[in-house]
Amino acid sequence: MHVLLEKLGHPEKKLPPVIHVAGTNGKGSTVAYLRHIMQAAGLTAHAYTSPHLVKFHERIRVAGELISEADLTALLEECEQVNGGVPITFFEITTAAAFLAYSRTPADYLILEVGLGGRLDATNVIDPAVSVITTIDYDHQQYLGDTLSLIAHEKAGILKRGVPAVIGVQPDEARAEIERVGERMRAELHIAGQDWQAYEQHGRLVFQDEKGLLDLPLPQLKGRHQIDNAGNAIATIRVLDDPRISDAHIADGLKSTTWPARMQRLGQGALLALVPAESELWLDGGHNPSAGRVLAQAFSELNERHSRPLVLVWGMLNTKDVGSFIGCFAGIASRVIAITIPDEENAVPAEKLAEAARARGLQAETAPGLDAALRQASSTVPAPRVLICGSLYLAGRVLAAHGNEEMTKVSGAGRR
């Protein structure tokens, strides 16, 4: 990355103030909250996220708008020409193209999400204004290590000398490693549960730090874990201390934030027509044990308020811990319908998923595809709450198949 960026004239040194976001779970939601809060304040923000759900362009927002096809093509061609055939990964060259785009268009901030890990990630070539590490858990162990300490070490590689960092809710082992790296880098850490707190109280989000207490509306995004993700964003805004962003802007941003495939209830569209009118259809792209736990908790709480049988339509990749994910739903899901993610070479076959679910005490069956799975789910009585889950790759195919309003949320056409 350093060699290529030097050939390109160092676009990474011509960026607006950067908020660099790493972590296992909650990165995308934290980025979305930050973007919407800044938008509420009338500020412009570039944003770089991955993976995409339906279109690659979702990864690169330039001053708030998805990059155009013409601009993306021209930037990639420029990077490829300058690179001169030297071996380079897909993520590296697209990151370089994004830096070029961001360096050439004015904005107030760049919100930059790490692709994988942190220490060796292609994005880790910038000097941020603030670093953010969201909740760390087991994922990508083949690249990052098989203990929380090793994974945290890789994530903490984004910490820069003297640069403040917001640290989300962490397991003890991960937090200890982040603190160790932070001390070595002399980075001022703002740690959840120690320097700031975010929690729900009387139907409101309460945020408290040394600057005082904020009484805010609950986020539009569903699930108790979104309180933690919103807390990451609020803590980051407080560290930035930008006088242009008021408490009212934070409140407006929380109320307006949308982020597809994160406990998203699907509205009118092609797939909703496949389940009974009384049913609920939900989508989530979480794919590791930590995501499984928060999803299971969220749907358990939904069931306490409005009881319905929960049916999972489930697909996963073979790089994920299938058993630990589905085991979180034992005693919560009444039925699991496993499918093979279509057109995905790393998809786990449906029958193997069903076997893993049965091994964890769940009633499981298979379906030849998404439509068939939804029709099978429809036989559940009373009308079920259907959750399509297990993979962002599956989520992208669901959104593409569903169409209508869900697609406009992804494409940005409905951006507020």
Side-chain angles (χ1 to χ4, degrees):
M1 283 299 293
H2 285 295
V3 170
L4 176 56
L5 292 171
E6 182 178 6
K7 293 177 181 178
L8 290 168
H10 287 294
E12 82 284 8
K13 298 184 184 298
K14 303 169 187 175
L15 302 172
V18 178
I19 302 168
H20 201 192
V21 184
T24 305
N25 292 315
K27 297 191 300 296
S29 296
T30 299
V31 169
Y33 286 123
L34 285 167
R35 188 165 60 81
H36 282 79
I37 290 169
M38 290 175 178
Q39 187 175 297
L43 303 179
T44 54
H46 302 315
Y48 188 62
T49 57
S50 61
H52 61 279
L53 293 174
V54 180
K55 294 175 61 180
F56 177 86
H57 307 67
E58 297 163 35
R59 298 180 180 225
I60 304 174
R61 285 185 178 267
V62 182
E65 302 293 339
L66 298 187
I67 193 167
S68 70
E69 178 70 24
D71 287 346
L72 178 60
T73 300
L75 289 165
L76 287 171
E77 288 177 351
E78 182 177 349
C79 290
E80 289 173 353
Q81 183 176 9
V82 168
N83 188 53
V86 175
I88 191 167
T89 68
F90 170 80
F91 189 74
E92 287 166 346
I93 201 159
T94 53
T95 300
F99 284 159
L100 273 183
Y102 300 145
S103 70
R104 294 170 179 175
T105 303
D108 295 294
Y109 289 97
L110 164 58
I111 311 167
L112 183 67
E113 182 186 330
V114 165
L116 176 66
R119 183 175 65 91
L120 299 177
D121 190 71
T123 65
N124 199 26
V125 293
I126 45 85
D127 295 314
V130 181
S131 305
V132 182
I133 301 178
T134 67
T135 301
I136 289 171
D137 210 308
Y138 291 101
D139 203 3
H140 301 294
Q141 290 97 310
Q142 66 271 41
Y143 303 111
L144 305 180
D146 56 4
T147 68
L148 287 178
S149 181
L150 287 172
I151 295 170
H153 180 77
E154 294 300 318
K155 307 285 187 183
I158 71 165
L159 299 180
K160 300 294 189 297
R161 187 165 299 279
V163 174
V166 170
I167 311 302
V169 175
Q170 302 293 345
D172 290 343
E173 185 181 347
R175 173 175 161 169
E177 179 60 20
I178 293 169
E179 288 184 302
R180 189 189 70 77
V181 175
E183 182 177 359
R184 177 168 58 84
M185 298 302 295
R186 298 180 183 176
E188 179 184 336
L189 303 185
H190 300 261
I191 302 173
Q194 175 179 302
D195 303 300
W196 59 270
Q197 297 180 66
Y199 53 92
E200 181 180 353
Q201 186 175 70
H202 306 308
R204 304 280 290 176
L205 189 157
V206 178
F207 180 92
Q208 189 167 13
D209 62 7
E210 62 179 9
K211 295 180 180 180
L213 184 145
L214 296 179
D215 179 16
L216 299 163
L218 289 176
Q220 181 170 249
L221 297 180
K222 306 297 183 185
R224 184 176 296 182
H225 56 292
Q226 289 297 349
I227 301 293
D228 294 335
N229 296 334
N232 296 334
I234 298 166
T236 302
I237 295 295
R238 303 274 268 196
V239 170
L240 284 174
D241 199 23
D242 187 330
R244 298 172 293 179
I245 306 175
S246 69
D247 296 348
H249 296 140
I250 294 174
D252 289 344
L254 295 182
K255 290 187 293 184
S256 65
T257 298
T258 58
W259 193 232
R262 276 72 175 181
M263 269 202 74
Q264 177 184 6
R265 185 169 176 181
L266 297 180
Q268 290 302 314
L271 298 182
L272 197 62
L274 299 178
V275 296
E278 303 81 12
S279 297
E280 297 175 9
L281 185 58
W282 294 77
L283 175 66
D284 195 277
H287 47 261
N288 54 43
S290 178
R293 288 192 295 273
V294 297
L295 267 179
Q297 179 187 38
F299 279 88
S300 180
E301 291 172 357
L302 269 178
N303 192 58
E304 289 175 4
R305 295 196 295 271
H306 184 191
S307 179
R308 286 182 184 275
L310 176 63
V311 177
L312 303 186
V313 174
W314 179 44
M316 287 192 83
L317 299 183
N318 58 21
T319 55
K320 306 302 177 184
D321 187 344
V322 168
S324 294
F325 177 89
I326 199 63
C328 298
F329 294 92
I332 296 170
S334 63
R335 188 176 176 189
V336 176
I337 303 173
I339 63 172
T340 306
I341 300 174
D343 304 318
E344 177 53 58
E345 63 179 353
N346 291 319
V348 179
E351 187 52 52
K352 286 193 174 181
L353 290 177
E355 290 172 4
R358 294 182 195 115
R360 297 298 178 115
L362 288 131
Q363 178 182 325
E365 61 203 83
T366 64
L370 178 62
D371 287 8
L374 292 176
R375 291 191 181 97
Q376 287 174 220
S378 298
S379 66
T380 305
V381 178
R385 180 173 285 127
V386 181
L387 170 62
I388 307 170
C389 63
S391 171
L392 284 169
Y393 294 89
L394 173 59
R397 287 161 173 80
V398 168
L399 289 169
H402 191 59
N404 294 346
E405 65 181 81
E406 313 306 332
M407 284 295 293
T408 64
K409 291 175 184 177
V410 173
S411 70
R415 192 175 66 87
R416 302 183 188 184

